[in-house]
Amino acid sequence: AAAAAAADATTAARGGKGAKRGRGANADGSEPVVKRAATAYSFYAKQRRPKLLEERPELKGQLGELQKAVSAEWKVLPEEERRVFEEQAASDRERRAAELAQASAQHQAGPPMEAPPAAAS
């Protein structure tokens, strides 16, 4: 048991599997990570899942079956109904591009420099 705990601690220290990272932070915890843009399907699924659970309570606790049902509905969703979710996805892609540009500019600028310590006379 002690060997397993030591192995887990070593893996976590290297930043590998099992490493504890704050949500939205880089491996070193320095700055937040820019979230990926959501797809049209993910926007649809997020909206549809709760409604589908109300309509079909037998799916509660059956995540795989719930996802299959949402996916099947998405595949036959008319183009005009999909357009709303496609627009949300396009907006989210624009958000991500802007955040990436801002993060890149901040990264290139580097951290603010500190004033050198005053020399003692």
Side-chain angles (χ1 to χ4, degrees), residues 85-118:
F85 303 105
E86 295 289 347
E87 289 170 0
Q88 289 176 337
S91 173
D92 202 38
R93 283 191 299 272
E94 291 172 6
R95 178 224 26 108
R96 183 170 196 266
E99 287 180 10
L100 281 173
Q102 181 182 10
S104 177
Q106 287 176 350
H107 180 72
Q108 289 175 355
M113 294 185 61
E114 295 180 17

Side-chain angles (χ1 to χ4, degrees), residues 21-94:
R21 284 191 351 188
R23 185 178 189 122
N26 286 329
D28 62 358
S30 60
E31 57 189 60
V33 173
V34 176
K35 288 175 58 175
R36 289 181 181 226
T39 63
Y41 172 77
S42 64
F43 280 109
Y44 172 76
K46 186 176 181 179
Q47 176 188 339
R48 183 66 181 129
R49 242 181 257 118
K51 294 176 185 175
L52 190 59
L53 281 172
E54 285 179 15
E55 296 169 11
R56 297 179 53 192
E58 72 274 7
L59 292 176
K60 185 173 180 144
Q62 297 183 8
L63 197 58
E65 293 300 317
L66 178 62
Q67 282 304 113
K68 284 180 189 177
V70 171
S71 177
E73 289 182 0
W74 174 255
K75 288 177 183 176
V76 297
L77 196 67
E79 185 63 34
E80 53 274 358
E81 291 181 39
R82 276 188 186 215
R83 194 169 299 125
V84 173
F85 303 105
E86 295 289 347
E87 289 170 0
Q88 289 176 337
S91 173
D92 202 38
R93 283 191 299 272
E94 291 172 6

